[in-house]
Amino acid sequence: MKRIALVEDEAAIRENYKEVLQQQGYSVQAYADRESALQAFRTRLPDLAILDIGLNDEIDGGFSLCQSLRAMSQTVPIIFLTARDSDFDTVCGLRLGADDYLTKDVSFPHLLARLAALFRRSELQAQAPDEQQELEYGPLHIDINRMQVSWNGQLVALTVTEFWMVHLLAKHPGHVRSRQELMQEAKIFVDDSTITSHIKRIRKKFIALDTAFDCIDTVYGMGYRWDAQG
């Protein structure tokens, strides 16, 4: 049974998420503040951690906790689940070592799908911890073991979902991938418009590093394609 640590200072929200996760077969340890969670992590690491950012009187307590947990383990999946939806907070969370960032208006099915994607990554790492799994196409570099994508040597701050979408598109340049294939690769179950939104965010992140980026083509009525010639 997978062990999830849930760190949320609002009791009603904490109990609600805990109940839903337990119904899905997860073992959930819930904490109301950074210190109690950190103390528990020192005794035993969870299989995955869900963190809020603001914890009681600590405005950025979740960020500090993320740093501490990442220092303890480079592989424990960490996901922020917070009401704070600014790009600044999202980028901060990912740079501090989180694997994904969601806001609290996310649906439970979407949350569960993202958790499944994170656990899938952990399972892949456990199956082949010493295997070098890297793809390189011109300025694009994909490190599957580290779940990292770089463009011209600069790290692209992708979520887990975005990572798997880029991986699927780039591993067979020129091949069109349908929205259904992208959902299957990322282990998410959403409508077409959400897939479109993911692709838009992915493009935006690459363009932030390189204004000339133009490698993801939309093939209308079919899906998307990685154009290695860009």
Side-chain angles (χ1 to χ4, degrees), residues 26 48 77 79 99-100 110-124 147 159-164 183-189:
Y26 295 115
L48 180 146
I79 183 168
D99 299 283
D100 212 341
H110 195 166
L111 171 62
L112 294 171
R114 300 291 269 269
L115 295 178
L118 287 168
F119 280 126
R120 176 174 179 251
R121 181 207 68 174
S122 296
E123 290 164 3
L124 285 172
M147 295 286 291
T159 66
V160 172
T161 296
E162 293 164 352
F163 171 87
W164 286 114
M183 280 194 286
Q184 291 173 347
E185 180 77 2
K187 294 296 184 184
I188 59 173
F189 306 95

Side-chain angles (χ1 to χ4, degrees), residues 33-167:
D33 55 74
R34 180 182 62 86
E35 190 53 47
S36 61
L38 187 57
Q39 194 169 20
F41 295 163
R42 289 178 179 136
T43 301
R44 182 181 178 184
L45 290 174
D47 294 314
L48 180 146
I50 301 174
L51 312 179
D52 194 3
I53 297 177
L55 298 172
N56 293 324
D57 294 331
E58 295 186 282
I59 296 175
D60 294 330
F63 284 154
S64 297
L65 183 58
C66 177
Q67 278 185 300
S68 298
L69 180 54
R70 187 53 75 224
M72 295 177 187
S73 171
Q74 290 295 314
T75 58
V76 169
I78 302 172
I79 183 168
F80 278 108
L81 183 59
T82 175
R84 288 160 59 168
D85 60 358
S86 73
D87 287 342
F88 176 79
D89 285 322
T90 303
V91 171
C92 281
L94 295 173
R95 285 181 175 173
L96 289 171
D99 299 283
D100 212 341
Y101 190 106
L102 296 174
T103 54
K104 289 179 179 176
D105 58 356
V106 67
S107 68
F108 283 128
H110 195 166
L111 171 62
L112 294 171
R114 300 291 269 269
L115 295 178
L118 287 168
F119 280 126
R120 176 174 179 251
R121 181 207 68 174
S122 296
E123 290 164 3
L124 285 172
Q125 287 179 325
Q127 288 170 7
D130 299 321
E131 184 180 343
Q132 184 102 1
Q133 298 188 72
E134 298 186 20
L135 301 175
E136 193 152 359
Y137 303 109
L140 178 72
H141 180 85
I142 300 178
D143 187 328
I144 300 172
N145 284 331
R146 290 191 174 90
M147 295 286 291
Q148 291 180 344
V149 172
S150 298
W151 183 259
N152 283 323
Q154 299 182 81
L155 194 64
V156 187
L158 300 176
T159 66
V160 172
T161 296
E162 293 164 352
F163 171 87
W164 286 114
M165 287 184 177
V166 171
H167 175 260

